[in-house]
Amino acid sequence: MTKMRASLLTCQVSALEQAPVATELRQEPPRYIPVRSYCRSSGRCYREGGFFVSGQIYSVDVNAKLRGDVEKQCMLSQGYSSVKVKRCSSGLHPPNDAGNSNRMPPLSENTCVTKDTQGQWVIIDPM
């Protein structure tokens, strides 16, 4: 495991301890289905609607944003910074040893991110 991945795991555990999952159940407001009238070619008319449909029930982790902020702050305090890097083109694969390095390649216009054979994100500079 690289130093960065170990630091990230430590920060994730710390963030989970400081801002544990706090699930709340919520419900969307009910919706009113208005009355609709329609007539068939036979001349017979019908009415539909005129009732309420209850809102969907869903869950929210109210600490998710705080947990993310705590994790980011932890990584910043360990000397890491956040950067945006484009995805590599589909034909570009990292070298076999790319995920084992303790150093990130220098960032350039060509720097991109892809997944290695174990499914971990790897930053590479294809030059």
Side-chain angles (χ1 to χ4, degrees), residues 10-21:
T10 299
C11 288
Q12 287 171 333
V13 170
S14 176
L16 191 55
E17 289 170 348
Q18 293 178 55
V21 175

Side-chain angles (χ1 to χ4, degrees), residues 91-110:
L92 192 59
H93 301 289
N96 291 335
D97 62 346
N100 297 328
S101 173
N102 286 331
R103 295 196 150 242
M104 187 173 76
L107 299 178
S108 73
E109 291 179 3
N110 298 324

Side-chain angles (χ1 to χ4, degrees), residues 26-95:
R26 297 186 179 173
Q27 184 173 11
E28 294 176 346
R31 291 183 299 129
Y32 180 72
I33 307 299
V35 176
R36 252 182 43 195
S37 298
Y38 61 95
C39 297
R40 295 193 177 186
S41 58
S42 65
R44 192 165 179 143
C45 295
Y46 298 91
R47 290 176 54 138
E48 282 185 336
F51 57 88
F52 284 92
V53 176
S54 62
Q56 180 179 354
I57 296 174
Y58 61 99
S59 63
V60 174
D61 177 4
V62 294
N63 279 349
K65 182 183 181 318
L66 175 61
R67 192 169 39 259
D69 291 346
V70 170
E71 180 183 315
K72 286 177 190 171
Q73 182 59 45
C74 177
M75 291 298 284
L76 285 171
S77 71
Q78 293 191 36
Y80 295 94
S81 61
S82 179
V83 295
K84 289 188 179 193
V85 180
K86 66 184 176 202
R87 277 191 184 208
C88 298
S89 60
S90 60
L92 192 59
H93 301 289

Side-chain angles (χ1 to χ4, degrees), residues 110-121:
N110 298 324
T111 302
C112 61
V113 65
T114 188
K115 287 192 175 185
D116 64 14
T117 55
Q118 283 123 26
Q120 298 292 323
W121 290 106

